[in-house]
Amino acid sequence: MAKRFSADKYVEGILAGDRVMLSRAITLVESRLASDLDLAQDVINQVLPHAGKSVRIGITGVPGVGKSTFIEAFGNYLIQAQNKKLAVLAIDPTSQRTGGSILGDKTRMESLSVNPQAYIRPSPAGKSLGGVTRSTRESIILCEAAGFDAIIVETVGVGQSETAVHAMVDFFLLLMLAGAGDELQGIKRGIMEMADAIAITKADGENAMKAKAARAEYQNALHLYPVAASGWLPKVSVCSAMEQTGLDTIWQTIDSYLELTHQNGFFEKKRHDQNLQWMYEAIRQGLEDNFYAHQQVKDQLAGIADEVKAGRKSAFAAAAELLRLV
Ligand SMILES: Nc1nc2c(ncn2[C@@H]2O[C@H](COP(=O)(O)OP(=O)(O)OP(=O)(O)O)[C@@H](O)[C@H]2O)c(=O)[nH]1
């Protein structure tokens, strides 16, 4: 087991912006050991008053869209042109690519990973989506308390993970390729509906014209959706991470969104709603964990499931019988 410190020691280190302590605290919230849970919650609770002051940006897009290259370019832009301290967290429950090691990501975002104004943390390996989203959410709080004022949460846009990311960020950016067709890109309609902005990537060289055409197309498509509760009309822009163009426009879009939603109160409301949503999610998870950990449930579950399978017991009756055991 990794070395553990007192809650005060973690808190002191995080608030001082000590990256080693931040990493250790994130390892702590990623741990599912029962003995780590209380300590992790103690640390989170203590740093909570110092968190929340960042802009949380979710970024998604299918493999090949250029996420890493984009985040590297956009991240450097945020640091250099907007004077931000940036943390990049990844949600990728299927990820084999990093095996949970920081080294894996060093090769993905080379210049960001050595930038003292940036902190990159790959997705914890070998975890369920629920496990990853929970620890990422808590990691956001830890990073904010450590002084990072821009948080990028990155995910692959092909599964359910983008819904989870959407529920923990202020602004959701969808990266898309020009001319590949929505279906080809595996982008589901629901994801486009969640986007506050779409950026068409790789708008350089021969691709530049195609990207502009795609921008017009997507902008039209977005007009067909009902106006969002935020009052914000999603924007589409083009960018090239390679040539570092369009990054400023994307930041201006995010900034306009923040201005609008701070003004109309949506920003705060959304964060409150997200907090409540996570509370209910934590309750649901806690109840489920307790249920499956209960000795009588462990003893009887398989037998009762067999009876349901064989058609001797209804699913509802079986569930009720099991629930009564707890
Ligand atoms: N022409 C051009 N190519 C790009 C640009 N950005 C990325 N690429 C190329 O697109 C390919 C995929 O880029 P990655 O950044 O690895 O993106 P990804 O496939 O989404 O990968 P992950 O971030 O690992 O999920 C690489 O070969 C990049 O060199 C760009 O702005 N212009």
Side-chain angles (χ1 to χ4, degrees), residues 61-70 97 108 154 156 201-204 239-243:
V62 294
V65 76
K67 273 186 305 303
S68 303
T69 320
F70 175 80
R97 84 187 160 198
R108 291 177 66 232
E154 173 202 358
V156 182
T201 56
K202 309 189 194 183
D204 46 54
C239 68
S240 163
M242 228 167 62
E243 295 185 347

